[in-house]
Coordinates of all heavy atoms in Angstrom, one line a residue:
L19 N -15.0 -9.1 5.2 CA -15.7 -8.2 4.2 C -16.4 -8.9 3.1 O -17.3 -8.3 2.5 CB -14.6 -7.2 3.6 CG -14.2 -6.0 4.4 CD1 -13.0 -5.3 3.8 CD2 -15.4 -5.1 4.6
V31 N -12.0 -21.3 2.1 CA -11.0 -20.6 2.9 C -9.9 -21.6 3.2 O -10.1 -22.7 3.6 CB -11.6 -20.1 4.3 CG1 -10.6 -19.5 5.1 CG2 -12.7 -19.1 4.0
D33 N -5.9 -22.0 5.2 CA -4.8 -21.5 6.0 C -4.0 -22.8 6.4 O -4.5 -23.8 6.6 CB -5.3 -20.8 7.2 CG -4.1 -20.0 7.8 OD1 -3.2 -20.5 8.4 OD2 -4.1 -18.7 7.6
L42 N -12.4 -20.1 13.1 CA -13.3 -19.2 12.2 C -14.7 -19.5 12.5 O -15.1 -20.7 12.8 CB -13.0 -19.5 10.8 CG -11.6 -19.1 10.3 CD1 -11.4 -19.5 8.8 CD2 -11.4 -17.6 10.4
K44 N -18.2 -20.7 11.9 CA -18.7 -21.8 11.0 C -19.7 -21.3 10.0 O -20.6 -20.5 10.3 CB -19.4 -22.9 11.8 CG -18.4 -23.8 12.5 CD -18.1 -25.1 11.7 CE -17.1 -26.0 12.4 NZ -15.8 -25.3 12.6
D47 N -21.7 -23.8 4.1 CA -21.4 -23.9 2.6 C -20.0 -23.4 2.3 O -19.7 -23.3 1.1 CB -22.5 -23.2 1.8 CG -22.8 -21.8 2.4 OD1 -22.1 -21.5 3.4 OD2 -23.6 -21.1 1.8
L88 N -6.0 -11.8 -6.5 CA -5.7 -10.6 -5.7 C -4.7 -10.9 -4.7 O -5.0 -11.7 -3.7 CB -7.0 -10.0 -5.1 CG -6.8 -8.8 -4.1 CD1 -6.1 -7.6 -4.7 CD2 -8.1 -8.4 -3.5
V89 N -3.4 -10.5 -4.9 CA -2.4 -10.9 -4.0 C -1.9 -9.7 -3.1 O -1.7 -8.6 -3.7 CB -1.2 -11.6 -4.7 CG1 -0.6 -10.7 -5.8 CG2 -0.1 -12.0 -3.7
T95 N 9.2 -10.6 -3.6 CA 10.4 -9.8 -3.3 C 11.5 -9.9 -4.4 O 12.6 -9.6 -4.3 CB 11.0 -10.2 -2.0 OG1 11.2 -11.6 -2.0 CG2 10.2 -9.8 -0.8
V185 N 18.9 0.3 12.5 CA 18.3 -0.7 13.3 C 18.1 -0.1 14.7 O 19.0 0.6 15.2 CB 19.3 -1.9 13.4 CG1 18.8 -2.8 14.5 CG2 19.3 -2.6 12.1
K216 N 4.2 8.1 18.4 CA 2.9 8.6 18.0 C 2.7 8.2 16.5 O 3.5 8.5 15.7 CB 2.9 10.1 18.1 CG 1.5 10.7 17.7 CD 1.4 12.2 17.9 CE 0.1 12.8 17.4 NZ -0.1 12.6 15.9
S224 N 3.9 20.0 -2.7 CA 4.1 21.4 -3.1 C 4.0 21.5 -4.6 O 4.8 20.8 -5.3 CB 5.4 21.9 -2.6 OG 5.4 21.9 -1.2
Q225 N 3.2 22.3 -5.1 CA 3.1 22.6 -6.6 C 2.9 24.1 -6.8 O 2.7 24.8 -5.8 CB 2.1 21.8 -7.3 CG 0.7 21.9 -6.8 CD -0.3 20.9 -7.4 OE1 0.1 19.7 -7.5 NE2 -1.5 21.3 -7.7
F229 N -0.3 24.2 -1.8 CA 0.4 23.2 -0.9 C -0.8 22.3 -0.5 O -1.8 22.7 0.2 CB 1.0 23.9 0.2 CG 1.5 23.0 1.3 CD1 2.7 22.2 1.1 CD2 0.9 22.9 2.5 CE1 3.2 21.3 2.0 CE2 1.4 22.0 3.5 CZ 2.6 21.3 3.2
N253 N 6.2 48.1 18.1 CA 6.9 48.9 19.1 C 8.0 48.1 19.8 O 9.1 48.5 19.9 CB 5.9 49.6 20.1 CG 5.4 50.8 19.5 OD1 5.9 51.3 18.5 ND2 4.4 51.4 20.1
L256 N 8.8 41.8 17.5 CA 8.9 41.4 16.1 C 7.9 40.3 15.9 O 7.9 39.2 16.6 CB 10.3 40.9 15.8 CG 10.6 40.3 14.4 CD1 10.4 41.4 13.3 CD2 12.0 39.8 14.4
Y258 N 5.9 37.5 13.4 CA 6.0 36.7 12.1 C 4.6 36.4 11.7 O 3.8 35.8 12.4 CB 6.8 35.5 12.3 CG 6.9 34.6 11.1 CD1 7.7 35.0 10.0 CD2 6.2 33.4 11.0 CE1 7.7 34.2 8.8 CE2 6.2 32.7 9.8 CZ 7.0 33.0 8.8 OH 7.0 32.3 7.7
K276 N -12.7 -2.7 1.2 CA -13.9 -3.1 0.6 C -13.9 -2.5 -0.9 O -14.3 -3.2 -1.8 CB -15.1 -2.5 1.3 CG -16.4 -3.0 0.9 CD -17.4 -2.5 2.0 CE -18.8 -2.5 1.4 NZ -19.7 -1.9 2.4
H281 N -13.3 -3.4 -6.6 CA -12.6 -3.0 -7.9 C -12.1 -4.3 -8.6 O -12.2 -4.5 -9.8 CB -11.4 -2.1 -7.6 CG -10.6 -1.8 -8.8 ND1 -11.1 -1.0 -9.9 CD2 -9.3 -2.1 -9.1 CE1 -10.2 -0.9 -10.8 NE2 -9.1 -1.5 -10.4
E289 N -16.3 -4.9 -16.1 CA -17.1 -3.6 -16.0 C -16.2 -2.4 -15.8 O -16.7 -1.3 -15.9 CB -18.1 -3.8 -14.8 CG -19.2 -4.7 -15.0 CD -20.1 -4.9 -13.8 OE1 -19.8 -4.3 -12.8 OE2 -21.0 -5.8 -14.0
S308 N 14.8 -1.6 -5.1 CA 16.1 -0.9 -5.2 C 16.4 -0.2 -3.8 O 17.5 -0.3 -3.3 CB 16.1 0.2 -6.3 OG 15.8 -0.3 -7.5
N311 N 17.3 -2.8 -1.3 CA 18.7 -3.2 -1.4 C 19.7 -2.2 -0.8 O 20.7 -2.6 -0.2 CB 19.0 -3.4 -2.9 CG 18.8 -4.8 -3.4 OD1 18.8 -5.7 -2.6 ND2 18.5 -5.0 -4.6

Side-chain angles (χ1 to χ4, degrees):
L19 279 173
V31 176
D33 196 286
L42 293 175
K44 282 265 173 303
D47 46 358
L88 169 60
V89 57
T95 51
V185 168
K216 182 178 177 295
S224 296
Q225 58 189 38
F229 173 70
N253 273 350
L256 174 64
Y258 176 74
K276 190 170 160 187
H281 176 67
E289 289 175 1
S308 303
N311 269 335

